[in-house]
Amino acid sequence: MFWLIVGAMLCLVELFVPTAFTAFMMGMGAFVVALVTMLLPLKGAFQVALWLVLSTAFVYLSHRLMPKRRVSSIENATEAQTVSEILPGETGRVLYEGSSWRARCGDEKLAIAPNQKVYIVGREGTTLIVLPANLLKS
């Protein structure tokens, strides 16, 4: 009964706290331990060890089977304007579609001054990858 309660609690945690299925997989491990202990009388230490092994295996397998996050790219270069300076290898701000976005230059060696026209050539999460307009036109 203990492992069923632990499994249910871990699965419920996943509903309220997104843990990339880690808590859910640990809950599934607890359910398997509950099933095994109903069929075979196991000592408490062996039950915990079995749960640890199963949880680790389930978490590892679930993360390997999940699709990898891809860097989103924008097909057609879209225009934006820098709000702050974007230093080489660092992020700055651009005005894109009426909102201020975090941005970094696609060329790690270039700096982009404020109030410059840039083209958005990609996206990584909420950070836009931009290139200065004068670089693309030359």
Side-chain angles (χ1 to χ4, degrees):
M1 190 62 148
F2 170 77
W3 289 108
L4 290 175
I5 293 170
V6 168
M9 287 175 50
L10 285 167
C11 289
L12 282 174
V13 164
E14 187 66 44
L15 288 175
F16 300 107
V17 182
T19 61
F21 292 112
T22 301
F24 181 74
M25 289 298 140
M26 291 172 69
M28 296 308 293
F31 287 142
V32 171
V33 171
L35 179 67
V36 168
T37 55
M38 287 189 333
L39 300 174
L40 304 169
L42 301 173
K43 302 236 186 245
F46 188 74
Q47 291 177 14
V48 171
L50 180 62
W51 175 72
L52 288 172
V53 168
L54 288 172
S55 294
T56 303
F58 288 163
V59 167
Y60 176 75
L61 290 174
S62 71
H63 286 202
R64 287 206 26 109
L65 296 176
M66 282 183 159
K68 303 289 184 234
R69 292 184 75 187
R70 295 183 187 193
V71 175
S72 169
S73 65
I74 298 173
E75 294 285 329
N76 299 323
T78 307
E79 293 180 14
Q81 184 171 352
T82 57
V83 175
S84 67
E85 182 178 19
I86 302 175
L87 297 173
E90 295 185 22
T91 59
R93 305 293 293 176
V94 296
L95 188 61
Y96 172 64
E97 292 186 347
S99 297
S100 176
W101 287 72
R102 204 167 107 157
R104 100 179 139 74
C105 186
D107 186 346
E108 297 289 325
K109 298 174 189 138
L110 286 180
I112 306 173
N115 299 319
Q116 297 295 310
K117 182 178 172 184
V118 293
Y119 288 105
I120 301 167
V121 295
R123 192 175 97 189
E124 291 178 357
T126 58
T127 302
L128 299 177
I129 310 302
V130 298
L131 289 172
N134 60 1
L135 179 70
L136 294 179
K137 289 187 180 183
S138 52

